[in-house]
């Protein structure tokens, strides 16, 4: 196994894998949500995915979709979906750009290497990185928030279709959910 800490913390590793791989579902949800209003799938696809970087994709999606959803009186819901998507992006990125290890605290340890690279202090080796920790309950809360974000984007998309008199099926708005912590 290339990452021995994931052998010890296999339940945590499974959830982290689903978060990293599943983030793309949220980007596809954003694509579908925005293209519903714009009406040009190709233009939205290329507008979002020709860019490198999740933050830029969300910003472009927000810029394209906000006026449309405001016009459908769904501006607040769209803003909530964008805010939730941003929080999911932060969760995803902290895991995609980090080092994992077992620090024998009983919890899976990680440190974000991008944060270390941005620090003004000199980093002489990885042993000096201060660990953050995650456990199964926190990761389950983060996964639930990804699912909430998926549902919120679907709701905005389908409610927008309904209000724009486009054929659709009903999608219920998920109950509000507070963003989970990034780490323990």
């Amino acid at each position: 196994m290339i990452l021995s800490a994931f052998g010890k913390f296999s339940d945590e590793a499974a959830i982290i894998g689903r978060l990293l791989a599943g983030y793309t579902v949220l980007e596809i949800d954003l694509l579908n949500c925005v293209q519903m209003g714009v009406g040009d799938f190709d233009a939205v696809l290329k507008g979002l995915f020709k860019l490198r970087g999740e933050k830029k994709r969300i910003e472009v999606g927000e810029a394209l979709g906000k006026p449309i959803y405001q016009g459908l009186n769904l501006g607040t819901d769209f803003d909530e979906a964008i805010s939730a998507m941003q929080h999911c992006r932060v969760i995803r990125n902290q895991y995609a750009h980090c080092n994992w290890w077992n620090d024998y605290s009983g919890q899976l340890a990680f440190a974000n290497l991008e944060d270390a690279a941005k620090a003004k202090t000199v980093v002489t080796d990885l042993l000096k990185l201060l660990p953050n920790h995650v456990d199964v309950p926190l990761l389950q809360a983060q996964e639930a928030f990804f699912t909430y974000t998926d549902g919120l984007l679907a709701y905005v998309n389908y409610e927008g279709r309904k209000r724009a008199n486009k054929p659709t099926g009903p999608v219920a708005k998920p109950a509000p959910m507070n963003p989970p912590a990034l780490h323990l």
Side-chain angles (χ1 to χ4, degrees):
M1 179 178 287
I2 193 165
L3 191 54
S4 62
F6 278 14
K8 165 87 173 133
F9 298 97
S10 59
D11 292 340
E12 291 88 340
I15 299 169
I16 291 163
R18 289 193 302 270
L19 293 174
L20 289 170
Y23 180 81
T24 302
V25 170
L26 300 179
E27 289 188 325
I28 299 297
D29 288 344
L30 180 62
L31 164 69
N32 287 323
C33 188
V34 172
Q35 77 82 26
M36 184 292 301
V38 171
D40 184 345
F41 187 88
D42 183 67
V44 175
L45 172 73
K46 290 176 180 168
L48 295 180
F49 287 94
K50 72 179 176 189
L51 302 170
R52 287 268 310 164
E54 300 81 19
K55 184 176 181 182
K56 290 178 187 174
R57 285 190 201 106
I58 296 170
E59 289 170 350
V60 168
E62 181 178 21
L64 291 171
K66 189 173 185 113
I68 293 157
Y69 285 106
Q70 284 177 331
L72 295 169
N73 293 319
L74 286 166
T76 299
D77 294 314
F78 184 74
D79 290 345
E80 287 175 25
I82 293 296
S83 178
M85 180 101 185
Q86 289 286 17
H87 193 71
C88 291
R89 177 190 58 81
V90 171
I91 291 169
R92 179 249 181 232
N93 284 352
Q94 79 171 353
Y95 296 152
H97 307 290
C98 71
N99 182 42
W100 299 97
W101 72 96
N102 181 0
D103 67 355
Y104 302 100
S105 66
Q107 298 165 329
L108 181 59
F110 74 97
N112 188 306
L113 298 176
E114 287 183 343
D115 290 345
K118 293 174 188 171
K120 296 196 185 301
T121 59
V122 174
V123 179
T124 57
D125 61 51
L126 295 179
L127 296 174
K128 305 249 186 316
L129 297 179
L130 295 176
N132 294 304
H133 295 91
V134 293
D135 62 9
V136 169
L138 174 63
L139 291 165
Q140 287 172 333
Q142 291 174 347
E143 189 171 30
F145 193 76
F146 274 49
T147 301
Y148 160 76
T149 302
D150 176 60
L152 190 54
L153 284 161
Y155 165 76
V156 171
N157 181 351
Y158 284 92
E159 186 63 22
R161 288 175 190 271
K162 180 178 157 187
R163 293 183 188 189
N165 296 316
K166 296 179 180 179
T168 185
V171 174
K173 183 176 180 181
M177 186 175 182
N178 290 325
L182 298 177
H183 48 78
L184 299 175

